Amino acid sequence: MNEGKSVVVIDNPVLSNCSKVAGGIYNPIVFKRLTQSWLADMVLPCMIDFYEELEEKFQSQLLHPVKIARIFTNEEEEILWQKKSINELNEFIDGKIHKPKDEYSFCKDSYAFVKQGGYVDVTKFLELTRNFLEQRNGYVKESFDYSLLHFEGENIVYNNVSASKIIFCEGYLN
C-alpha cells in the first residue's frame, strides 16, 4: 500500500455526495445469471487485503462481512444453485438450501447464502482518508480550476503541486 509515493487530493466536498451515500456492498455473485461477478476471484482478495491493512493503520473497522441471501422462486433455481456450489462457484456460494421454519419466518421461500459478501463503510473510509491526507498536507479543499493546470517538461503542475501523473475522479459532474 505505501510505495513511497506522495498524493495530493483536490476536492470540493460540496459538489457531490455519491461516495458518501454509496452502500459499499460487495457481492461476488451475479444473481440473475448465477455467475461470478467480473474478476471477483482476483479483486476480492486484493480488496480485503487493502481494507484490512487500512483497518490496522487507522485502528477502525471498515470491512463488514455479512451474509447475503439468495431467495429462490422455484425448484430449478435451487437445483442450479446446488450444482454451481459444487463446481465453479464453490468459493462464493454455500450449497445448503434453507427452508422457511414456519409462517413467521422472514422469508416464505427457500434461500441460500453467498460466501465472502459484505460492505465497506465508505463514509468512514472517506473521513479517515481525508484526515490522513490533511495531516500530511495532501488534501486541498477547493474546486479544481483547469486553467491553473500546465506542463513543465515531464511534469504536470497545478498551483504549487508538481506531479508525474494526474488522475481525475469526477463522477457524473463532468
Side-chain angles (χ1 to χ4, degrees), residues 55-89:
E55 286 178 331
E56 191 173 315
K57 181 182 203 75
F58 294 141
Q59 293 297 297
S60 187
Q61 185 176 5
L62 297 169
L63 277 178
H64 300 272
V66 294
K67 286 185 172 183
I68 298 172
R70 166 64 157 102
I71 299 170
F72 303 113
T73 58
N74 57 51
E75 192 175 334
E76 289 79 27
E77 289 180 351
E78 289 181 28
I79 292 167
L80 179 61
W81 182 276
Q82 286 180 315
K83 178 183 170 192
K84 290 205 173 193
S85 74
I86 296 167
N87 297 319
E88 73 237 50
L89 298 177

PDB file of all heavy atoms in Angstrom, residues 55-89:
ATOM      1  N   GLU A  55      -7.574  -0.840   8.072  1.00  0.00           N
ATOM      2  CA  GLU A  55      -8.171  -1.001   9.398  1.00  0.00           C
ATOM      3  C   GLU A  55      -7.089  -1.017  10.474  1.00  0.00           C
ATOM      4  O   GLU A  55      -7.254  -0.397  11.530  1.00  0.00           O
ATOM      5  CB  GLU A  55      -8.991  -2.295   9.462  1.00  0.00           C
ATOM      6  CG  GLU A  55     -10.293  -2.232   8.717  1.00  0.00           C
ATOM      7  CD  GLU A  55     -11.061  -3.540   8.753  1.00  0.00           C
ATOM      8  OE1 GLU A  55     -10.435  -4.615   8.847  1.00  0.00           O
ATOM      9  OE2 GLU A  55     -12.299  -3.478   8.675  1.00  0.00           O
ATOM     10  N   GLU A  56      -6.012  -1.712  10.189  1.00  0.00           N
ATOM     11  CA  GLU A  56      -4.902  -1.763  11.144  1.00  0.00           C
ATOM     12  C   GLU A  56      -4.257  -0.389  11.284  1.00  0.00           C
ATOM     13  O   GLU A  56      -3.983   0.060  12.392  1.00  0.00           O
ATOM     14  CB  GLU A  56      -3.874  -2.800  10.686  1.00  0.00           C
ATOM     15  CG  GLU A  56      -2.835  -3.096  11.739  1.00  0.00           C
ATOM     16  CD  GLU A  56      -1.923  -4.248  11.323  1.00  0.00           C
ATOM     17  OE1 GLU A  56      -2.438  -5.269  10.837  1.00  0.00           O
ATOM     18  OE2 GLU A  56      -0.703  -4.087  11.498  1.00  0.00           O
ATOM     19  N   LYS A  57      -4.030   0.265  10.171  1.00  0.00           N
ATOM     20  CA  LYS A  57      -3.387   1.581  10.180  1.00  0.00           C
ATOM     21  C   LYS A  57      -4.241   2.612  10.930  1.00  0.00           C
ATOM     22  O   LYS A  57      -3.742   3.382  11.732  1.00  0.00           O
ATOM     23  CB  LYS A  57      -3.151   2.050   8.746  1.00  0.00           C
ATOM     24  CG  LYS A  57      -2.472   3.395   8.627  1.00  0.00           C
ATOM     25  CD  LYS A  57      -2.335   3.766   7.142  1.00  0.00           C
ATOM     26  CE  LYS A  57      -1.261   4.741   6.895  1.00  0.00           C
ATOM     27  NZ  LYS A  57       0.092   4.261   6.954  1.00  0.00           N
ATOM     28  N   PHE A  58      -5.553   2.606  10.662  1.00  0.00           N
ATOM     29  CA  PHE A  58      -6.457   3.597  11.255  1.00  0.00           C
ATOM     30  C   PHE A  58      -7.095   3.138  12.559  1.00  0.00           C
ATOM     31  O   PHE A  58      -7.812   3.891  13.200  1.00  0.00           O
ATOM     32  CB  PHE A  58      -7.567   3.967  10.269  1.00  0.00           C
ATOM     33  CG  PHE A  58      -7.097   4.682   9.038  1.00  0.00           C
ATOM     34  CD1 PHE A  58      -7.659   4.400   7.805  1.00  0.00           C
ATOM     35  CD2 PHE A  58      -6.111   5.646   9.091  1.00  0.00           C
ATOM     36  CE1 PHE A  58      -7.253   5.066   6.654  1.00  0.00           C
ATOM     37  CE2 PHE A  58      -5.695   6.324   7.955  1.00  0.00           C
ATOM     38  CZ  PHE A  58      -6.261   6.027   6.734  1.00  0.00           C
ATOM     39  N   GLN A  59      -6.870   1.868  12.938  1.00  0.00           N
ATOM     40  CA  GLN A  59      -7.480   1.309  14.145  1.00  0.00           C
ATOM     41  C   GLN A  59      -8.991   1.522  14.141  1.00  0.00           C
ATOM     42  O   GLN A  59      -9.585   2.001  15.117  1.00  0.00           O
ATOM     43  CB  GLN A  59      -6.847   1.922  15.413  1.00  0.00           C
ATOM     44  CG  GLN A  59      -5.397   1.541  15.610  1.00  0.00           C
ATOM     45  CD  GLN A  59      -5.236   0.042  15.814  1.00  0.00           C
ATOM     46  OE1 GLN A  59      -5.746  -0.506  16.780  1.00  0.00           O
ATOM     47  NE2 GLN A  59      -4.558  -0.635  14.899  1.00  0.00           N
ATOM     48  N   SER A  60      -9.591   1.171  13.003  1.00  0.00           N
ATOM     49  CA  SER A  60     -11.024   1.374  12.838  1.00  0.00           C
ATOM     50  C   SER A  60     -11.569   0.323  11.871  1.00  0.00           C
ATOM     51  O   SER A  60     -10.924   0.013  10.873  1.00  0.00           O
ATOM     52  CB  SER A  60     -11.266   2.776  12.289  1.00  0.00           C
ATOM     53  OG  SER A  60     -12.629   3.066  12.261  1.00  0.00           O
ATOM     54  N   GLN A  61     -12.753  -0.193  12.149  1.00  0.00           N
ATOM     55  CA  GLN A  61     -13.330  -1.215  11.279  1.00  0.00           C
ATOM     56  C   GLN A  61     -13.966  -0.582  10.054  1.00  0.00           C
ATOM     57  O   GLN A  61     -14.779   0.344  10.162  1.00  0.00           O
ATOM     58  CB  GLN A  61     -14.372  -2.046  12.032  1.00  0.00           C
ATOM     59  CG  GLN A  61     -14.903  -3.192  11.200  1.00  0.00           C
ATOM     60  CD  GLN A  61     -15.856  -4.093  11.940  1.00  0.00           C
ATOM     61  OE1 GLN A  61     -16.226  -3.842  13.075  1.00  0.00           O
ATOM     62  NE2 GLN A  61     -16.267  -5.166  11.277  1.00  0.00           N
ATOM     63  N   LEU A  62     -13.570  -1.075   8.896  1.00  0.00           N
ATOM     64  CA  LEU A  62     -14.112  -0.603   7.625  1.00  0.00           C
ATOM     65  C   LEU A  62     -14.865  -1.712   6.880  1.00  0.00           C
ATOM     66  O   LEU A  62     -15.846  -1.445   6.207  1.00  0.00           O
ATOM     67  CB  LEU A  62     -12.991  -0.069   6.729  1.00  0.00           C
ATOM     68  CG  LEU A  62     -12.234   1.144   7.271  1.00  0.00           C
ATOM     69  CD1 LEU A  62     -10.984   1.418   6.443  1.00  0.00           C
ATOM     70  CD2 LEU A  62     -13.136   2.358   7.300  1.00  0.00           C
ATOM     71  N   LEU A  63     -14.370  -2.927   7.001  1.00  0.00           N
ATOM     72  CA  LEU A  63     -14.993  -4.082   6.339  1.00  0.00           C
ATOM     73  C   LEU A  63     -16.019  -4.716   7.259  1.00  0.00           C
ATOM     74  O   LEU A  63     -15.748  -4.941   8.438  1.00  0.00           O
ATOM     75  CB  LEU A  63     -13.946  -5.146   6.020  1.00  0.00           C
ATOM     76  CG  LEU A  63     -13.135  -5.000   4.757  1.00  0.00           C
ATOM     77  CD1 LEU A  63     -12.125  -6.135   4.651  1.00  0.00           C
ATOM     78  CD2 LEU A  63     -13.998  -4.959   3.521  1.00  0.00           C
ATOM     79  N   HIS A  64     -17.165  -5.030   6.697  1.00  0.00           N
ATOM     80  CA  HIS A  64     -18.225  -5.675   7.468  1.00  0.00           C
ATOM     81  C   HIS A  64     -18.751  -6.857   6.666  1.00  0.00           C
ATOM     82  O   HIS A  64     -19.646  -6.689   5.827  1.00  0.00           O
ATOM     83  CB  HIS A  64     -19.356  -4.686   7.768  1.00  0.00           C
ATOM     84  CG  HIS A  64     -18.916  -3.510   8.559  1.00  0.00           C
ATOM     85  ND1 HIS A  64     -18.895  -3.502   9.933  1.00  0.00           N
ATOM     86  CD2 HIS A  64     -18.441  -2.302   8.167  1.00  0.00           C
ATOM     87  CE1 HIS A  64     -18.446  -2.333  10.358  1.00  0.00           C
ATOM     88  NE2 HIS A  64     -18.153  -1.599   9.311  1.00  0.00           N
ATOM     89  N   PRO A  65     -18.191  -8.043   6.891  1.00  0.00           N
ATOM     90  CA  PRO A  65     -18.722  -9.219   6.194  1.00  0.00           C
ATOM     91  C   PRO A  65     -20.152  -9.485   6.649  1.00  0.00           C
ATOM     92  O   PRO A  65     -20.462  -9.388   7.843  1.00  0.00           O
ATOM     93  CB  PRO A  65     -17.806 -10.353   6.646  1.00  0.00           C
ATOM     94  CG  PRO A  65     -16.603  -9.687   7.228  1.00  0.00           C
ATOM     95  CD  PRO A  65     -17.057  -8.359   7.741  1.00  0.00           C
ATOM     96  N   VAL A  66     -21.034  -9.756   5.716  1.00  0.00           N
ATOM     97  CA  VAL A  66     -22.426 -10.081   6.041  1.00  0.00           C
ATOM     98  C   VAL A  66     -22.891 -11.220   5.137  1.00  0.00           C
ATOM     99  O   VAL A  66     -22.367 -11.407   4.040  1.00  0.00           O
ATOM    100  CB  VAL A  66     -23.397  -8.884   5.881  1.00  0.00           C
ATOM    101  CG1 VAL A  66     -23.095  -7.784   6.879  1.00  0.00           C
ATOM    102  CG2 VAL A  66     -23.383  -8.345   4.473  1.00  0.00           C
ATOM    103  N   LYS A  67     -23.861 -11.949   5.622  1.00  0.00           N
ATOM    104  CA  LYS A  67     -24.468 -12.993   4.810  1.00  0.00           C
ATOM    105  C   LYS A  67     -25.446 -12.334   3.842  1.00  0.00           C
ATOM    106  O   LYS A  67     -26.308 -11.562   4.254  1.00  0.00           O
ATOM    107  CB  LYS A  67     -25.213 -13.991   5.684  1.00  0.00           C
ATOM    108  CG  LYS A  67     -24.329 -14.924   6.458  1.00  0.00           C
ATOM    109  CD  LYS A  67     -25.187 -15.945   7.194  1.00  0.00           C
ATOM    110  CE  LYS A  67     -24.325 -17.009   7.816  1.00  0.00           C
ATOM    111  NZ  LYS A  67     -25.146 -18.037   8.477  1.00  0.00           N
ATOM    112  N   ILE A  68     -25.299 -12.670   2.580  1.00  0.00           N
ATOM    113  CA  ILE A  68     -26.229 -12.192   1.567  1.00  0.00           C
ATOM    114  C   ILE A  68     -27.075 -13.395   1.161  1.00  0.00           C
ATOM    115  O   ILE A  68     -26.543 -14.435   0.767  1.00  0.00           O
ATOM    116  CB  ILE A  68     -25.485 -11.615   0.350  1.00  0.00           C
ATOM    117  CG1 ILE A  68     -24.643 -10.406   0.775  1.00  0.00           C
ATOM    118  CG2 ILE A  68     -26.474 -11.233  -0.751  1.00  0.00           C
ATOM    119  CD1 ILE A  68     -23.731  -9.878  -0.321  1.00  0.00           C
ATOM    120  N   ALA A  69     -28.381 -13.268   1.287  1.00  0.00           N
ATOM    121  CA  ALA A  69     -29.279 -14.379   0.980  1.00  0.00           C
ATOM    122  C   ALA A  69     -29.774 -14.282  -0.461  1.00  0.00           C
ATOM    123  O   ALA A  69     -30.089 -13.210  -0.945  1.00  0.00           O
ATOM    124  CB  ALA A  69     -30.465 -14.378   1.933  1.00  0.00           C
ATOM    125  N   ARG A  70     -29.810 -15.413  -1.100  1.00  0.00           N
ATOM    126  CA  ARG A  70     -30.436 -15.537  -2.432  1.00  0.00           C
ATOM    127  C   ARG A  70     -31.726 -16.297  -2.212  1.00  0.00           C
ATOM    128  O   ARG A  70     -31.710 -17.445  -1.759  1.00  0.00           O
ATOM    129  CB  ARG A  70     -29.500 -16.281  -3.383  1.00  0.00           C
ATOM    130  CG  ARG A  70     -30.152 -16.775  -4.677  1.00  0.00           C
ATOM    131  CD  ARG A  70     -30.628 -15.599  -5.539  1.00  0.00           C
ATOM    132  NE  ARG A  70     -30.748 -15.975  -6.922  1.00  0.00           N
ATOM    133  CZ  ARG A  70     -31.903 -16.244  -7.532  1.00  0.00           C
ATOM    134  NH1 ARG A  70     -33.032 -16.204  -6.860  1.00  0.00           N
ATOM    135  NH2 ARG A  70     -31.922 -16.549  -8.810  1.00  0.00           N
ATOM    136  N   ILE A  71     -32.843 -15.652  -2.488  1.00  0.00           N
ATOM    137  CA  ILE A  71     -34.149 -16.271  -2.310  1.00  0.00           C
ATOM    138  C   ILE A  71     -34.540 -16.932  -3.629  1.00  0.00           C
ATOM    139  O   ILE A  71     -34.431 -16.316  -4.695  1.00  0.00           O
ATOM    140  CB  ILE A  71     -35.198 -15.223  -1.873  1.00  0.00           C
ATOM    141  CG1 ILE A  71     -34.767 -14.617  -0.537  1.00  0.00           C
ATOM    142  CG2 ILE A  71     -36.585 -15.837  -1.795  1.00  0.00           C
ATOM    143  CD1 ILE A  71     -35.561 -13.416  -0.100  1.00  0.00           C
ATOM    144  N   PHE A  72     -34.985 -18.165  -3.548  1.00  0.00           N
ATOM    145  CA  PHE A  72     -35.341 -18.922  -4.748  1.00  0.00           C
ATOM    146  C   PHE A  72     -36.840 -18.835  -5.007  1.00  0.00           C
ATOM    147  O   PHE A  72     -37.647 -18.957  -4.080  1.00  0.00           O
ATOM    148  CB  PHE A  72     -34.927 -20.389  -4.593  1.00  0.00           C
ATOM    149  CG  PHE A  72     -33.459 -20.557  -4.301  1.00  0.00           C
ATOM    150  CD1 PHE A  72     -33.033 -21.040  -3.079  1.00  0.00           C
ATOM    151  CD2 PHE A  72     -32.508 -20.207  -5.246  1.00  0.00           C
ATOM    152  CE1 PHE A  72     -31.687 -21.195  -2.806  1.00  0.00           C
ATOM    153  CE2 PHE A  72     -31.152 -20.355  -4.977  1.00  0.00           C
ATOM    154  CZ  PHE A  72     -30.745 -20.846  -3.754  1.00  0.00           C
ATOM    155  N   THR A  73     -37.184 -18.665  -6.260  1.00  0.00           N
ATOM    156  CA  THR A  73     -38.602 -18.585  -6.622  1.00  0.00           C
ATOM    157  C   THR A  73     -39.146 -19.921  -7.102  1.00  0.00           C
ATOM    158  O   THR A  73     -40.364 -20.090  -7.204  1.00  0.00           O
ATOM    159  CB  THR A  73     -38.833 -17.519  -7.711  1.00  0.00           C
ATOM    160  OG1 THR A  73     -38.043 -17.852  -8.859  1.00  0.00           O
ATOM    161  CG2 THR A  73     -38.459 -16.134  -7.207  1.00  0.00           C
ATOM    162  N   ASN A  74     -38.223 -20.866  -7.408  1.00  0.00           N
ATOM    163  CA  ASN A  74     -38.690 -22.182  -7.849  1.00  0.00           C
ATOM    164  C   ASN A  74     -37.599 -23.227  -7.599  1.00  0.00           C
ATOM    165  O   ASN A  74     -36.468 -22.901  -7.261  1.00  0.00           O
ATOM    166  CB  ASN A  74     -39.109 -22.165  -9.326  1.00  0.00           C
ATOM    167  CG  ASN A  74     -37.990 -21.697 -10.232  1.00  0.00           C
ATOM    168  OD1 ASN A  74     -36.871 -22.193 -10.167  1.00  0.00           O
ATOM    169  ND2 ASN A  74     -38.295 -20.727 -11.091  1.00  0.00           N
ATOM    170  N   GLU A  75     -37.968 -24.480  -7.789  1.00  0.00           N
ATOM    171  CA  GLU A  75     -37.052 -25.588  -7.519  1.00  0.00           C
ATOM    172  C   GLU A  75     -35.868 -25.623  -8.491  1.00  0.00           C
ATOM    173  O   GLU A  75     -34.767 -26.019  -8.126  1.00  0.00           O
ATOM    174  CB  GLU A  75     -37.817 -26.920  -7.573  1.00  0.00           C
ATOM    175  CG  GLU A  75     -37.026 -28.081  -7.023  1.00  0.00           C
ATOM    176  CD  GLU A  75     -37.847 -29.360  -6.972  1.00  0.00           C
ATOM    177  OE1 GLU A  75     -39.088 -29.287  -6.884  1.00  0.00           O
ATOM    178  OE2 GLU A  75     -37.220 -30.440  -7.027  1.00  0.00           O
ATOM    179  N   GLU A  76     -36.079 -25.170  -9.728  1.00  0.00           N
ATOM    180  CA  GLU A  76     -34.999 -25.155 -10.714  1.00  0.00           C
ATOM    181  C   GLU A  76     -33.856 -24.245 -10.263  1.00  0.00           C
ATOM    182  O   GLU A  76     -32.683 -24.550 -10.469  1.00  0.00           O
ATOM    183  CB  GLU A  76     -35.515 -24.707 -12.093  1.00  0.00           C
ATOM    184  CG  GLU A  76     -36.403 -25.709 -12.800  1.00  0.00           C
ATOM    185  CD  GLU A  76     -37.843 -25.720 -12.272  1.00  0.00           C
ATOM    186  OE1 GLU A  76     -38.315 -24.677 -11.745  1.00  0.00           O
ATOM    187  OE2 GLU A  76     -38.477 -26.784 -12.354  1.00  0.00           O
ATOM    188  N   GLU A  77     -34.192 -23.113  -9.661  1.00  0.00           N
ATOM    189  CA  GLU A  77     -33.168 -22.204  -9.148  1.00  0.00           C
ATOM    190  C   GLU A  77     -32.364 -22.861  -8.036  1.00  0.00           C
ATOM    191  O   GLU A  77     -31.152 -22.704  -7.963  1.00  0.00           O
ATOM    192  CB  GLU A  77     -33.800 -20.898  -8.651  1.00  0.00           C
ATOM    193  CG  GLU A  77     -34.312 -20.010  -9.750  1.00  0.00           C
ATOM    194  CD  GLU A  77     -34.927 -18.718  -9.227  1.00  0.00           C
ATOM    195  OE1 GLU A  77     -35.111 -18.578  -7.990  1.00  0.00           O
ATOM    196  OE2 GLU A  77     -35.217 -17.840 -10.060  1.00  0.00           O
ATOM    197  N   GLU A  78     -33.031 -23.595  -7.176  1.00  0.00           N
ATOM    198  CA  GLU A  78     -32.345 -24.320  -6.096  1.00  0.00           C
ATOM    199  C   GLU A  78     -31.377 -25.353  -6.654  1.00  0.00           C
ATOM    200  O   GLU A  78     -30.233 -25.454  -6.196  1.00  0.00           O
ATOM    201  CB  GLU A  78     -33.357 -25.046  -5.197  1.00  0.00           C
ATOM    202  CG  GLU A  78     -34.185 -24.152  -4.338  1.00  0.00           C
ATOM    203  CD  GLU A  78     -35.140 -24.960  -3.458  1.00  0.00           C
ATOM    204  OE1 GLU A  78     -34.829 -26.125  -3.107  1.00  0.00           O
ATOM    205  OE2 GLU A  78     -36.203 -24.417  -3.120  1.00  0.00           O
ATOM    206  N   ILE A  79     -31.834 -26.111  -7.650  1.00  0.00           N
ATOM    207  CA  ILE A  79     -31.012 -27.166  -8.252  1.00  0.00           C
ATOM    208  C   ILE A  79     -29.778 -26.551  -8.905  1.00  0.00           C
ATOM    209  O   ILE A  79     -28.658 -27.049  -8.736  1.00  0.00           O
ATOM    210  CB  ILE A  79     -31.838 -27.996  -9.256  1.00  0.00           C
ATOM    211  CG1 ILE A  79     -32.899 -28.799  -8.507  1.00  0.00           C
ATOM    212  CG2 ILE A  79     -30.932 -28.906 -10.088  1.00  0.00           C
ATOM    213  CD1 ILE A  79     -33.964 -29.419  -9.397  1.00  0.00           C
ATOM    214  N   LEU A  80     -29.974 -25.470  -9.647  1.00  0.00           N
ATOM    215  CA  LEU A  80     -28.839 -24.799 -10.296  1.00  0.00           C
ATOM    216  C   LEU A  80     -27.859 -24.273  -9.251  1.00  0.00           C
ATOM    217  O   LEU A  80     -26.642 -24.411  -9.405  1.00  0.00           O
ATOM    218  CB  LEU A  80     -29.335 -23.660 -11.197  1.00  0.00           C
ATOM    219  CG  LEU A  80     -28.254 -22.868 -11.924  1.00  0.00           C
ATOM    220  CD1 LEU A  80     -27.444 -23.775 -12.858  1.00  0.00           C
ATOM    221  CD2 LEU A  80     -28.880 -21.709 -12.703  1.00  0.00           C
ATOM    222  N   TRP A  81     -28.372 -23.680  -8.181  1.00  0.00           N
ATOM    223  CA  TRP A  81     -27.527 -23.161  -7.102  1.00  0.00           C
ATOM    224  C   TRP A  81     -26.669 -24.286  -6.518  1.00  0.00           C
ATOM    225  O   TRP A  81     -25.461 -24.135  -6.346  1.00  0.00           O
ATOM    226  CB  TRP A  81     -28.400 -22.528  -6.029  1.00  0.00           C
ATOM    227  CG  TRP A  81     -27.646 -21.909  -4.892  1.00  0.00           C
ATOM    228  CD1 TRP A  81     -27.159 -22.547  -3.784  1.00  0.00           C
ATOM    229  CD2 TRP A  81     -27.270 -20.537  -4.764  1.00  0.00           C
ATOM    230  NE1 TRP A  81     -26.525 -21.650  -2.959  1.00  0.00           N
ATOM    231  CE2 TRP A  81     -26.572 -20.411  -3.528  1.00  0.00           C
ATOM    232  CE3 TRP A  81     -27.464 -19.397  -5.532  1.00  0.00           C
ATOM    233  CZ2 TRP A  81     -26.074 -19.194  -3.067  1.00  0.00           C
ATOM    234  CZ3 TRP A  81     -26.968 -18.185  -5.075  1.00  0.00           C
ATOM    235  CH2 TRP A  81     -26.280 -18.093  -3.868  1.00  0.00           C
ATOM    236  N   GLN A  82     -27.309 -25.401  -6.201  1.00  0.00           N
ATOM    237  CA  GLN A  82     -26.569 -26.526  -5.613  1.00  0.00           C
ATOM    238  C   GLN A  82     -25.512 -27.059  -6.575  1.00  0.00           C
ATOM    239  O   GLN A  82     -24.400 -27.363  -6.170  1.00  0.00           O
ATOM    240  CB  GLN A  82     -27.531 -27.628  -5.181  1.00  0.00           C
ATOM    241  CG  GLN A  82     -28.293 -27.249  -3.933  1.00  0.00           C
ATOM    242  CD  GLN A  82     -29.241 -28.327  -3.480  1.00  0.00           C
ATOM    243  OE1 GLN A  82     -29.969 -28.917  -4.266  1.00  0.00           O
ATOM    244  NE2 GLN A  82     -29.227 -28.587  -2.174  1.00  0.00           N
ATOM    245  N   LYS A  83     -25.865 -27.162  -7.841  1.00  0.00           N
ATOM    246  CA  LYS A  83     -24.908 -27.637  -8.852  1.00  0.00           C
ATOM    247  C   LYS A  83     -23.702 -26.699  -8.923  1.00  0.00           C
ATOM    248  O   LYS A  83     -22.556 -27.146  -8.912  1.00  0.00           O
ATOM    249  CB  LYS A  83     -25.598 -27.718 -10.214  1.00  0.00           C
ATOM    250  CG  LYS A  83     -24.698 -28.152 -11.329  1.00  0.00           C
ATOM    251  CD  LYS A  83     -25.436 -28.146 -12.667  1.00  0.00           C
ATOM    252  CE  LYS A  83     -24.457 -28.344 -13.796  1.00  0.00           C
ATOM    253  NZ  LYS A  83     -25.048 -28.081 -15.092  1.00  0.00           N
ATOM    254  N   LYS A  84     -23.952 -25.398  -8.970  1.00  0.00           N
ATOM    255  CA  LYS A  84     -22.857 -24.431  -9.084  1.00  0.00           C
ATOM    256  C   LYS A  84     -22.057 -24.313  -7.788  1.00  0.00           C
ATOM    257  O   LYS A  84     -20.897 -23.947  -7.807  1.00  0.00           O
ATOM    258  CB  LYS A  84     -23.387 -23.081  -9.543  1.00  0.00           C
ATOM    259  CG  LYS A  84     -23.851 -23.129 -10.999  1.00  0.00           C
ATOM    260  CD  LYS A  84     -23.812 -21.787 -11.636  1.00  0.00           C
ATOM    261  CE  LYS A  84     -24.112 -21.913 -13.117  1.00  0.00           C
ATOM    262  NZ  LYS A  84     -23.788 -20.699 -13.840  1.00  0.00           N
ATOM    263  N   SER A  85     -22.687 -24.658  -6.660  1.00  0.00           N
ATOM    264  CA  SER A  85     -21.955 -24.603  -5.385  1.00  0.00           C
ATOM    265  C   SER A  85     -20.914 -25.711  -5.301  1.00  0.00           C
ATOM    266  O   SER A  85     -19.955 -25.607  -4.545  1.00  0.00           O
ATOM    267  CB  SER A  85     -22.917 -24.698  -4.203  1.00  0.00           C
ATOM    268  OG  SER A  85     -23.398 -26.014  -4.041  1.00  0.00           O
ATOM    269  N   ILE A  86     -21.088 -26.748  -6.071  1.00  0.00           N
ATOM    270  CA  ILE A  86     -20.136 -27.864  -6.092  1.00  0.00           C
ATOM    271  C   ILE A  86     -19.029 -27.579  -7.103  1.00  0.00           C
ATOM    272  O   ILE A  86     -17.885 -27.943  -6.893  1.00  0.00           O
ATOM    273  CB  ILE A  86     -20.860 -29.185  -6.432  1.00  0.00           C
ATOM    274  CG1 ILE A  86     -21.853 -29.528  -5.334  1.00  0.00           C
ATOM    275  CG2 ILE A  86     -19.861 -30.316  -6.635  1.00  0.00           C
ATOM    276  CD1 ILE A  86     -22.834 -30.628  -5.700  1.00  0.00           C
ATOM    277  N   ASN A  87     -19.383 -26.922  -8.182  1.00  0.00           N
ATOM    278  CA  ASN A  87     -18.436 -26.704  -9.273  1.00  0.00           C
ATOM    279  C   ASN A  87     -17.821 -25.317  -9.258  1.00  0.00           C
ATOM    280  O   ASN A  87     -17.096 -24.974  -8.335  1.00  0.00           O
ATOM    281  CB  ASN A  87     -19.124 -26.986 -10.621  1.00  0.00           C
ATOM    282  CG  ASN A  87     -19.571 -28.438 -10.733  1.00  0.00           C
ATOM    283  OD1 ASN A  87     -18.863 -29.338 -10.330  1.00  0.00           O
ATOM    284  ND2 ASN A  87     -20.760 -28.643 -11.262  1.00  0.00           N
ATOM    285  N   GLU A  88     -18.199 -24.503 -10.227  1.00  0.00           N
ATOM    286  CA  GLU A  88     -17.474 -23.250 -10.471  1.00  0.00           C
ATOM    287  C   GLU A  88     -17.641 -22.164  -9.410  1.00  0.00           C
ATOM    288  O   GLU A  88     -16.815 -21.265  -9.313  1.00  0.00           O
ATOM    289  CB  GLU A  88     -17.823 -22.696 -11.860  1.00  0.00           C
ATOM    290  CG  GLU A  88     -19.228 -22.112 -11.921  1.00  0.00           C
ATOM    291  CD  GLU A  88     -20.112 -22.723 -12.976  1.00  0.00           C
ATOM    292  OE1 GLU A  88     -20.193 -23.974 -13.040  1.00  0.00           O
ATOM    293  OE2 GLU A  88     -20.722 -21.952 -13.712  1.00  0.00           O
ATOM    294  N   LEU A  89     -18.692 -22.201  -8.609  1.00  0.00           N
ATOM    295  CA  LEU A  89     -18.916 -21.130  -7.635  1.00  0.00           C
ATOM    296  C   LEU A  89     -18.734 -21.578  -6.185  1.00  0.00           C
ATOM    297  O   LEU A  89     -19.146 -20.869  -5.263  1.00  0.00           O
ATOM    298  CB  LEU A  89     -20.316 -20.525  -7.831  1.00  0.00           C
ATOM    299  CG  LEU A  89     -20.571 -19.858  -9.184  1.00  0.00           C
ATOM    300  CD1 LEU A  89     -22.010 -19.363  -9.261  1.00  0.00           C
ATOM    301  CD2 LEU A  89     -19.601 -18.721  -9.427  1.00  0.00           C
TER     302      LEU A  89
END
